Amino acid sequence: MQALRLKSGEPMPRLGLGTWKSRPGEVYDAVREAIRVGYRHIDCAHAYGNEAEVGQALAEAMASGVKREELWITSKLWNNAHHPEDVQPALAGTLRNLRLDYLDLYLMHWPVAVRGQAHFPPGVDEFIGPKELPFTATWKAMEDCVNAGLARHIGGSNFSARKLQTLLEEGRIAPAMDQVELHPYLQQTALIDFCRRHGIHVTAYSPLGSADRPAVLKADAEPLLLEDPAIAAIAKCCDASPAQVLIAWALERDTAVIPKSVNRGRIRENFEAGALRLTDSDLKEIGRLDRHRRYLDGAIWAPPGSGYSLEWLWDE
Ligand SMILES: NC(=O)c1ccc[n+]([C@@H]2O[C@H](COP(=O)([O-])OP(=O)(O)OC[C@H]3O[C@@H](n4cnc5c(N)ncnc54)[C@H](OP(=O)(O)O)[C@@H]3O)[C@@H](O)[C@H]2O)c1
């Protein structure tokens, strides 16, 4: 398995299993199967509501011989636990659910704070604005989690280059990772360049276009990445599936990539994309597909009156 080398010197397996929307009742099998096939990186989050079942699968994999240090487990601090005093208890809850002593990587899921009992999507008065609770205050509490040995690395998710720059300037610990939406329709080249210059790695989420996300997060008549004709043509040429081409493209860009699947055949198929090599002409062709299309546009985190806006969120 190809690995990224973090500033700390630790290797992080580049191809991981996503677990958002993997329902209790199916995520256990998905994680067990993924580890059997060879995945050693699992992407989790408190907000996915399935960490306890992921934890059961991890515990059983370790009981049958997989070593903890072979695994790379990422999780994320949810938006309703950004108050500094809530951060370590939130991480402790995640560790309890995952049945682990430490995480390899803990990410701030969004640079947006909501109140403890906020609904999903949150009402306007359930937000805590960025002036009242800046993400830098939350970051300091995440740094304390590293010092307490509960997380080996910390990072952002859905962070713009400008927000990463703020963490670099104001934090004691530099972010090791930014996990963002990345695929041929949203290539984010400037953000990747910024991260590379500052020793921050990037993980590509929703690399297949996230077609199974909830209706509240979908727009009408969206372009379907997995059905893109150029991707289909490249897939045909290299005797691979469109999903494999998308995963191989993310790997060619030196990012980590975390496709989600709960289907045994597709879990294996996605893992085997690690062996697929794209040609320069494939890469050029895919480079032309960029259309700055966010499937997760963040609008639910920036309604008018919330103190947040899309301009603030993405710094664009
Ligand atoms: N940090 C964040 O804010 C954030 C946001 C979004 C996602 N993520 C992370 O990134 C992971 C991946 O993103 P995602 O879940 O949004 O979407 P995704 O991985 O782009 O797409 C998942 C969809 O693709 C299907 N699929 C998987 N493999 C396939 C294949 N080989 N051929 C055809 N279809 C295939 C899945 O169905 P089956 O399951 O039925 O195979 C599912 O419907 C998440 O699970 C989560 O861990 C993080």
Side-chain angles (χ1 to χ4, degrees), residues 244-304:
Q244 287 178 318
V245 170
L246 294 169
I247 295 164
W249 177 79
L251 295 172
E252 293 279 1
R253 299 178 93 210
D254 282 334
T255 63
V257 59
I258 45 174
K260 170 264 176 187
S261 181
V262 289
N263 173 284
R264 285 180 175 221
R266 291 192 283 273
I267 288 171
R268 178 178 290 276
E269 174 187 320
N270 295 346
F271 190 72
E272 287 171 352
L276 179 63
R277 295 286 165 271
L278 299 176
T279 64
D280 287 347
S281 104
D282 296 336
L283 295 175
K284 256 196 208 127
E285 179 78 23
I286 297 174
R288 283 197 279 269
L289 299 180
D290 199 3
R291 50 177 91 175
H292 201 70
R293 171 80 208 197
R294 287 185 196 278
Y295 286 113
L296 290 170
D297 65 6
I300 59 162
W301 301 117

Side-chain angles (χ1 to χ4, degrees), residues 2 9 12 32 58 86 109 113 119 147 170 204 231 235-237 253 264 269 272 285 295:
Q2 309 167 49
M12 168 183 174
R32 282 310 306 268
L58 295 177
D86 293 338
H109 208 142
H119 297 87
N147 295 332
E170 297 187 21
I231 300 291
K236 195 165 176 218
C237 262
R253 299 178 93 210
R264 285 180 175 221
E269 174 187 320
E272 287 171 352
E285 179 78 23
Y295 286 113

Side-chain angles (χ1 to χ4, degrees), residues 24-87:
E26 52 184 25
V27 72
Y28 167 84
D29 273 342
V31 173
R32 282 310 306 268
E33 180 63 10
I35 293 175
R36 243 192 308 275
V37 164
Y39 289 76
R40 290 293 178 267
H41 166 182
I42 312 290
D43 184 74
C44 314
H46 171 77
Y48 302 163
N50 56 12
E51 287 193 323
E53 199 169 312
V54 173
Q56 186 192 347
L58 295 177
E60 290 178 21
M62 286 191 274
S64 54
V66 177
K67 295 199 184 74
R68 171 66 185 94
E69 53 276 21
E70 289 171 34
L71 294 171
W72 182 279
I73 310 297
T74 299
S75 185
K76 312 183 193 90
L77 176 74
W78 189 231
N79 304 356
N80 68 352
H82 275 214
H83 274 298
E85 66 274 19
D86 293 338
V87 171

